[in-house]
Coordinates of all heavy atoms in Angstrom, one line a residue:
A5 N 103.2 92.3 96.3 CA 104.3 93.2 96.7 C 103.8 94.5 97.2 O 104.2 95.1 98.2 CB 105.2 93.4 95.5
L27 N 105.2 112.1 123.0 CA 105.6 113.5 123.0 C 104.5 114.4 123.4 O 104.7 115.4 124.2 CB 106.1 113.9 121.6 CG 107.4 113.3 121.1 CD1 107.7 113.6 119.7 CD2 108.6 113.8 122.0
S30 N 104.4 114.4 127.0 CA 105.5 115.3 127.6 C 105.1 116.7 127.5 O 105.4 117.5 128.5 CB 106.7 115.0 126.8 OG 107.2 113.7 126.9
E41 N 105.1 126.0 138.7 CA 106.2 127.1 139.0 C 105.6 128.5 139.2 O 106.1 129.3 139.9 CB 107.2 127.0 137.9 CG 108.1 125.8 137.9 CD 108.9 125.7 136.7 OE1 108.9 126.6 135.8 OE2 109.8 124.8 136.5
E56 N 96.7 124.6 117.1 CA 96.0 123.8 116.1 C 96.0 124.3 114.7 O 96.3 123.6 113.7 CB 94.5 123.6 116.5 CG 93.7 122.8 115.6 CD 92.2 123.0 115.9 OE1 91.6 124.1 115.7 OE2 91.6 122.0 116.4
G73 N 94.5 118.2 100.7 CA 94.8 118.8 102.0 C 93.7 118.6 103.0 O 94.0 118.5 104.2
S75 N 91.8 116.0 103.3 CA 91.9 114.6 103.8 C 93.1 114.5 104.9 O 92.9 113.9 105.9 CB 92.2 113.6 102.7 OG 91.1 113.5 101.8
L99 N 74.4 121.6 122.0 CA 73.0 121.5 122.0 C 72.6 120.2 121.5 O 72.8 119.9 120.3 CB 72.4 122.7 121.1 CG 70.9 122.7 120.9 CD1 70.2 122.8 122.2 CD2 70.6 123.7 119.9
H107 N 76.4 119.4 117.4 CA 77.1 118.1 117.6 C 78.1 117.9 116.4 O 79.2 117.5 116.7 CB 76.1 117.0 117.7 CG 76.8 115.7 118.1 ND1 76.1 114.5 117.9 CD2 77.9 115.4 118.7 CE1 76.9 113.5 118.4 NE2 78.0 114.0 118.8
E127 N 71.5 127.9 126.3 CA 71.8 128.5 127.6 C 72.4 127.5 128.6 O 73.2 127.9 129.5 CB 70.7 129.3 128.1 CG 69.4 128.6 128.2 CD 68.5 128.8 127.1 OE1 69.0 128.8 125.9 OE2 67.3 129.0 127.3
A134 N 80.5 127.9 131.9 CA 80.9 128.9 132.9 C 81.1 128.3 134.2 O 82.0 128.8 135.0 CB 79.7 130.0 133.0
L157 N 73.3 134.9 122.2 CA 73.6 136.3 122.7 C 72.9 136.6 124.0 O 73.6 137.1 124.9 CB 73.1 137.3 121.7 CG 73.8 137.3 120.3 CD1 73.1 138.3 119.3 CD2 75.2 137.5 120.4
Q163 N 75.7 135.0 131.4 CA 77.0 134.3 131.8 C 78.2 135.1 131.2 O 78.9 134.6 130.4 CB 77.0 132.9 131.3 CG 75.8 132.0 131.8 CD 76.0 131.7 133.3 OE1 77.0 131.8 133.8 NE2 75.0 131.1 133.8
V176 N 75.8 124.1 106.2 CA 74.6 123.5 106.7 C 73.6 123.2 105.5 O 73.3 124.2 104.8 CB 74.0 124.4 107.8 CG1 72.5 124.0 108.1 CG2 74.8 124.5 109.0
T177 N 73.2 122.0 105.4 CA 72.2 121.7 104.4 C 70.9 121.1 105.2 O 71.1 120.1 105.8 CB 72.7 120.7 103.4 OG1 73.8 121.2 102.8 CG2 71.7 120.3 102.4
E217 N 58.1 125.1 116.5 CA 59.5 125.3 116.8 C 59.9 124.4 118.0 O 59.1 124.3 119.0 CB 59.7 126.8 117.1 CG 59.5 127.7 115.9 CD 59.8 129.1 116.3 OE1 60.1 129.5 117.4 OE2 59.8 130.0 115.3
S220 N 66.0 122.1 118.8 CA 67.1 121.7 117.9 C 66.5 120.9 116.7 O 65.4 120.4 116.8 CB 68.1 120.9 118.6 OG 67.6 119.6 118.9
S239 N 69.0 117.6 109.4 CA 70.1 117.1 108.5 C 69.9 115.7 108.1 O 69.2 114.9 108.8 CB 71.4 117.3 109.3 OG 71.5 116.3 110.3
A243 N 68.5 111.6 109.6 CA 67.7 110.6 109.0 C 68.1 109.2 109.3 O 67.2 108.4 109.7 CB 67.8 110.8 107.5
S257 N 67.2 128.0 101.4 CA 67.0 129.0 100.4 C 68.2 129.4 99.7 O 68.1 129.8 98.5 CB 66.4 130.3 101.2 OG 65.2 130.0 101.9
T286 N 76.8 148.0 127.2 CA 75.7 149.0 127.1 C 76.2 150.4 127.0 O 77.4 150.6 127.3 CB 74.7 148.8 128.3 OG1 75.5 149.2 129.5 CG2 74.2 147.5 128.4
D288 N 75.1 154.7 127.8 CA 74.2 155.6 128.5 C 73.3 156.3 127.5 O 73.8 157.2 126.8 CB 75.0 156.6 129.3 CG 74.1 157.4 130.3 OD1 72.9 157.4 130.1 OD2 74.6 158.1 131.2
F302 N 86.8 152.8 117.5 CA 87.4 151.8 116.6 C 88.0 152.3 115.4 O 89.1 151.9 114.9 CB 86.4 150.7 116.3 CG 85.8 149.9 117.5 CD1 84.4 149.9 117.8 CD2 86.6 149.2 118.4 CE1 83.9 149.3 118.9 CE2 86.2 148.6 119.5 CZ 84.8 148.7 119.8
A303 N 87.3 153.3 114.8 CA 87.8 153.9 113.6 C 89.1 154.7 113.9 O 90.0 154.7 113.2 CB 86.8 154.9 113.0
N313 N 75.4 143.5 116.8 CA 74.0 143.0 117.1 C 73.6 143.7 118.4 O 74.5 144.1 119.2 CB 74.0 141.5 117.3 CG 74.2 140.8 116.0 OD1 73.3 140.7 115.2 ND2 75.4 140.2 115.7
F326 N 74.8 145.7 123.5 CA 75.4 145.6 122.2 C 76.5 144.6 122.1 O 77.3 144.5 123.0 CB 75.8 147.0 121.7 CG 74.7 148.0 121.6 CD1 74.5 148.9 122.6 CD2 73.9 148.1 120.5 CE1 73.5 149.8 122.6 CE2 72.9 149.0 120.4 CZ 72.7 149.9 121.5
N338 N 96.7 148.3 119.8 CA 95.7 149.3 119.4 C 94.3 148.9 120.0 O 93.5 149.7 120.3 CB 95.6 149.3 117.9 CG 95.2 148.0 117.2 OD1 95.6 147.0 117.7 ND2 94.5 148.1 116.1
E344 N 90.3 150.9 126.4 CA 90.4 151.9 127.5 C 89.6 153.1 127.1 O 88.9 153.7 128.0 CB 91.9 152.3 127.7 CG 92.1 153.0 129.0 CD 91.7 152.3 130.2 OE1 91.8 151.1 130.3 OE2 91.2 153.0 131.2
D345 N 89.7 153.6 125.9 CA 89.0 154.8 125.5 C 87.5 154.6 125.5 O 86.7 155.6 125.8 CB 89.5 155.3 124.1 CG 90.8 156.0 124.1 OD1 91.5 156.0 125.2 OD2 91.3 156.5 123.1

Side-chain angles (χ1 to χ4, degrees):
L27 290 170
S30 297
E41 291 174 356
E56 175 192 73
S75 295
L99 174 64
H107 189 196
E127 49 265 44
L157 297 178
Q163 302 288 347
V176 169
T177 300
E217 296 182 355
S220 70
S239 69
S257 302
T286 61
D288 189 342
F302 299 120
N313 289 286
F326 296 98
N338 64 327
E344 191 61 35
D345 284 7

